[in-house]
Amino acid sequence: MKKNICGIFVSVMSTLMLLTVSLSAQTIDDSLVSWSQYTGKSAFTIMLPSTLELRKPEDAYSQNIICSNDAIVFQQKGLSHFDSPALKKYCRIIINYQKGEYGDFLKSTETEVIDAESRNILEQIVISNIGSASRLMDPISYSWTMVRGSKCLQIDYRRTGKNFDTTIPVICRMAIFQNDNEMVIMTLAYREKEADLWKNDFEKVFKSFRWI
């Protein structure tokens, strides 16, 4: 466990510095028929609802923030052009893809024991991920989940809003998918008070992940 968790930690920290900021036959939920499929890095696919949009460097919103070309970011639809309804909401799906050598990561069907040392390392990853203007509000939950034939290390946590605002808690999930020589770290987040808008759809996005 130590080697792989430490490897994940190094990969995540490198990404954060760049950001500055028979189950194989399982099918997609019928409710996703109207959704669109996104293919990332020619390595994986996810399904997305029409309420989300892909962040693009040329968009007006992107011009006002520091962002990395290495991260794939989905946000509430309309935010790219500062639409008023979108500005009143908050949600993100951030995907980081890491390519390595064969054997660098677990195979897609493998898991490892999450012991105390591993939990400490994973907690450092989470704290780095939420940034310096937020903090955890509840204990972190760790579990292995099967998603369309692949094992996923699922890390669920609840954090404050920006500038440590405890009145607008944010629900977050970090999902780590490994596939021998590649890894995807997908972070899903939305305001707790907007759970009726995002919770069900974000769960479906998470469960739609598939390696190509």
Side-chain angles (χ1 to χ4, degrees):
M1 181 75 175
K2 313 300 186 301
K3 178 179 181 294
N4 284 297
I5 288 295
C6 288
I8 291 172
F9 180 72
V10 171
S11 297
V12 173
M13 292 308 295
S14 298
T15 299
L16 288 171
M17 285 188 287
L18 288 170
L19 286 172
T20 314
V21 272
S22 148
L23 288 168
S24 60
Q26 183 177 344
T27 58
I28 288 292
D29 191 308
D30 289 342
S31 64
L32 306 188
V33 172
S34 62
W35 288 27
S36 60
Q37 179 173 284
Y38 176 84
T39 301
K41 307 294 184 180
S42 300
F44 65 90
T45 64
I46 57 171
M47 301 296 291
L48 296 162
S50 59
T51 51
L52 298 177
E53 64 182 15
L54 176 65
R55 178 180 293 173
K56 299 177 182 178
E58 65 272 19
D59 290 338
Y61 182 81
S62 300
Q63 299 299 312
N64 287 268
I65 60 173
I66 299 174
C67 56
S68 167
N69 291 329
D70 296 315
I72 301 165
V73 180
F74 296 95
Q75 59 201 17
Q76 61 269 34
K77 189 173 184 179
L79 185 64
S80 57
H81 300 293
F82 296 102
D83 289 354
S84 181
L87 290 172
K88 296 175 182 177
K89 303 182 182 73
Y90 172 82
C91 74
R92 293 290 185 278
I93 297 177
I94 303 173
I95 303 174
N96 292 291
Y97 175 78
Q98 301 284 333
K99 186 74 172 181
E101 302 294 331
Y102 286 102
D104 282 354
F105 309 110
L106 295 176
K107 290 182 171 60
S108 63
T109 55
E110 292 181 326
T111 63
E112 293 180 312
V113 175
I114 307 172
D115 58 18
E117 184 177 349
S118 300
R119 286 172 181 266
N120 287 336
I121 293 172
L122 291 169
E123 184 173 342
Q124 291 179 55
I125 294 174
V126 169
I127 291 172
S128 298
N129 191 47
I130 66 177
S132 59
S134 186
R135 64 171 176 80
L136 292 170
M137 297 183 70
D138 295 309
I140 303 170
S141 170
Y142 308 93
S143 62
W144 286 100
T145 305
M146 181 69 83
V147 177
R148 301 192 72 194
S150 296
K151 286 292 186 178
C152 166
L153 179 53
Q154 179 179 323
I155 306 170
D156 293 311
Y157 57 97
R158 185 168 172 261
R159 65 169 175 83
T160 63
K162 189 176 180 181
N163 298 321
F164 309 105
D165 190 343
T166 59
T167 66
I168 49 170
V170 178
I171 303 299
C172 304
R173 171 173 297 171
M174 181 183 290
I176 302 176
F177 295 91
Q178 301 178 71
N179 190 30
D180 202 4
N181 69 329
E182 57 188 347
M183 176 174 67
V184 162
I185 302 174
M186 176 166 57
T187 303
L188 307 98
Y190 58 86
R191 288 180 183 146
E192 189 173 63
K193 67 180 183 179
E194 297 170 8
D196 59 324
L197 296 176
W198 311 115
K199 182 178 180 179
N200 290 340
D201 280 355
F202 273 37
E203 186 69 20
K204 291 175 183 178
V205 172
F206 164 63
K207 290 183 176 178
S208 74
F209 179 91
R210 181 177 66 87
W211 291 110
I212 295 175

